């Protein structure tokens, strides 16, 4: 994308998503993600009603009377965006393309994070780790992230969800909130990696899909292409058996994704490209608040 066109697109995304995060999400985001960790603050003398599990036995032994550790919520969070840049993100038959919707959702979350004084970083992934942007604060950093969301060109087209979850677990040492944004089109079993990542971090899954992906239209012979492997084949969509088989495939794959999230205790929201992602994100925040 040419520089002037890219800057214009960045500005459009900034105006739209910064307004959304300031006017709509500020309170919900803060309530949903504030102080997920607890930081040691001070010690003080034990008072009636304090939790005995908070007693600092070393200080108690020195002073010959009980003292407890006082903790406070960590207000500053680190937020990571895990962005799927595999080939399937370019699909868009109903509404905007998945890439466009993912970009707007990620930008909205990024502006919400800096308004909450949080650091924000990004991991772009396909079946490889394509790019890692370390978490920082500030508007300049956010605009750099938006430029990359719009214009980043991955080297690979496949998908490996477990790989990016393992990378998150190993690369980010301090507990963070991680928004895992993907269409989750994969036959891979990533539940184990998701469970491990969510034990260390606070993982939230955001699925972006196109409604045309959920069922085949009855339009006769249709050439379909696997956007991740490049394979093409003709299928007869006038066959009810073919359409039913495809719908069954989608339902089973979707059930596996939701089951992986449920068993890993990860909140997930599914957003179609022609739906209002603002409403979906607000419902997600309210659920966590």
């Amino acid at each position: 994308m040419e520089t002037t066109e890219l800057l214009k697109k960045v500005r459009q995304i900034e105006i739209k998503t910064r307004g959304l995060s300031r006017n709509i999400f500020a309170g919900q985001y803060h309530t949903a993600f504030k102080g997920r960790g607890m930081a040691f603050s001070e010690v003080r003398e034990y008072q009636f009603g304090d939790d005995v599990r908070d007693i600092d036995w070393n200080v108690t032994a020195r002073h010959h009377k009980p003292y407890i550790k006082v903790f406070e919520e960590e207000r500053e969070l680190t937020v990571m965006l895990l962005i799927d840049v595999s080939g399937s993100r370019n699909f868009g038959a109903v509404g905007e393309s998945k890439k466009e919707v993912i970009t707007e959702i990620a930008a909205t979350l990024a502006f919400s994070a800096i308004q909450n004084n949080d650091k924000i970083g990004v991991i772009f992934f396909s079946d490889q780790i394509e790019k890692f942007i370390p978490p920082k604060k500030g508007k300049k950093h956010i605009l750099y992230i938006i430029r990359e969301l719009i214009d980043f060109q991955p080297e690979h087209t496949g998908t490996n969800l477990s790989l990016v979850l393992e990378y998150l677990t190993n690369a980010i040492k301090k507990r963070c909130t991680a928004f895992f944004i993907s269409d989750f089109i994969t036959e891979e079993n990533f539940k184990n990696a998701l469970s491990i990542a969510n034990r260390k971090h606070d993982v939230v899954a955001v699925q972006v899909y196109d409604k045309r992906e959920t069922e085949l239209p009855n339009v006769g012979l249709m050439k379909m292409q696997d956007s991740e492997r490049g394979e093409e084949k003709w299928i007869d969509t006038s066959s009810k058996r073919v359409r039913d088989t495809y719908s069954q495939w989608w339902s089973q794959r979707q059930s596996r994704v939701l089951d992986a999230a449920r068993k890993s205790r990860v909140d997930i929201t599914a957003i179609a490209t022609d739906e209002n992602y603002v409403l979906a994100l607000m419902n997600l925040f309210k659920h966590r608040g």
Side-chain angles (χ1 to χ4, degrees):
M1 191 179 292
E2 291 184 6
T3 303
T4 52
E5 185 185 350
L6 175 60
L7 291 175
K8 183 179 177 183
K9 184 70 174 172
V10 168
R11 183 65 178 152
Q12 288 171 343
I13 295 284
E14 180 197 358
I15 291 169
K16 180 175 182 179
T17 58
R18 185 174 60 180
L20 285 173
S21 61
R22 179 186 295 137
N23 300 326
I24 299 174
F25 291 126
Q28 284 90 344
Y29 173 92
H30 180 75
T31 301
F33 300 104
K34 69 181 181 191
R36 290 284 167 177
M38 302 296 287
F40 173 72
S41 176
E42 60 180 349
V43 294
R44 63 166 171 78
E45 281 192 48
Y46 177 86
Q47 297 173 1
F48 179 75
D50 286 335
D51 192 333
V52 295
R53 291 173 296 183
D54 291 335
I55 291 177
D56 186 320
W57 294 107
N58 291 328
V59 177
T60 296
R62 285 202 304 272
H63 291 272
H64 305 292
K65 54 184 174 182
Y67 277 75
I68 68 162
K69 295 176 182 177
V70 179
F71 295 86
E72 61 182 20
E73 287 184 335
E74 289 182 304
R75 292 296 178 182
E76 181 184 293
L77 298 177
T78 296
V79 176
M80 292 301 301
L81 303 177
L82 278 54
I83 306 294
D84 184 346
V85 292
S86 62
S88 61
R89 72 174 176 149
N90 295 312
F91 183 79
V94 181
E96 297 181 288
S97 73
K98 285 185 284 187
K99 178 185 174 182
E100 290 170 322
V101 176
I102 286 171
T103 296
E104 289 193 17
I105 289 172
T108 302
L109 292 170
F111 276 114
S112 297
I114 60 166
Q115 284 174 25
N116 204 47
N117 201 36
D118 298 335
K119 294 178 182 176
I120 182 118
V122 184
I123 304 171
F124 291 106
F125 72 95
S126 56
D127 56 1
Q128 306 288 327
I129 301 303
E130 296 278 352
K131 183 164 188 168
F132 172 60
I133 301 176
K136 292 181 185 176
K137 292 183 183 181
K139 182 181 174 183
K140 185 178 178 182
H141 181 62
I142 296 294
L143 294 179
Y144 168 61
I145 286 173
I146 293 174
R147 282 200 304 274
E148 291 298 290
L149 286 166
I150 294 169
D151 208 38
F152 180 74
Q153 299 299 319
E155 293 184 8
H156 303 84
T157 57
T159 304
N160 190 327
L161 302 177
S162 296
L163 179 71
V164 69
L165 290 165
E166 290 163 4
Y167 186 87
L168 171 74
T169 301
N170 295 326
I172 307 299
K173 303 304 180 186
K174 184 182 175 184
R175 181 174 173 83
C176 75
T177 295
F179 290 97
F180 190 16
I181 308 175
S182 171
D183 57 14
F184 296 100
I185 292 182
T186 178
E187 301 302 318
E188 164 199 3
N189 182 0
F190 61 95
K191 179 169 69 69
N192 188 50
L194 184 61
S195 295
I196 293 170
N198 196 46
R199 281 199 293 270
K200 182 176 181 181
H201 302 294
D202 179 19
V203 180
V204 182
V206 179
Q207 181 185 33
V208 176
Y209 70 98
D210 191 296
K211 285 180 179 174
R212 184 56 58 82
E213 293 171 319
T214 67
E215 59 183 8
L216 292 175
N218 184 354
V219 293
L221 280 176
M222 174 189 285
K223 183 162 71 172
M224 297 187 71
Q225 181 182 46
D226 185 322
S227 55
E228 298 194 0
R229 290 195 289 264
E231 298 171 356
E232 292 183 347
K233 63 178 178 181
W234 288 90
I235 60 170
D236 184 7
T237 63
S238 63
S239 166
K240 186 175 185 303
R241 183 178 60 82
V242 169
R243 295 197 307 273
D244 289 347
T245 300
Y246 182 88
S247 295
Q248 187 178 27
W249 168 82
W250 170 268
S251 297
Q252 289 173 346
R253 190 191 56 78
Q254 190 70 358
S255 293
R256 284 200 303 274
V257 171
L258 297 176
D259 186 62
R262 180 178 57 82
K263 289 182 176 175
S264 304
R265 299 186 176 182
V266 167
D267 289 324
I268 184 169
T269 184
I271 303 172
T273 53
D274 64 332
E275 287 180 347
N276 185 342
Y277 66 83
V278 173
L279 193 58
L281 289 178
M282 286 185 69
N283 287 336
L284 174 66
F285 291 176
K286 286 175 184 175
H287 171 71
R288 294 173 56 91

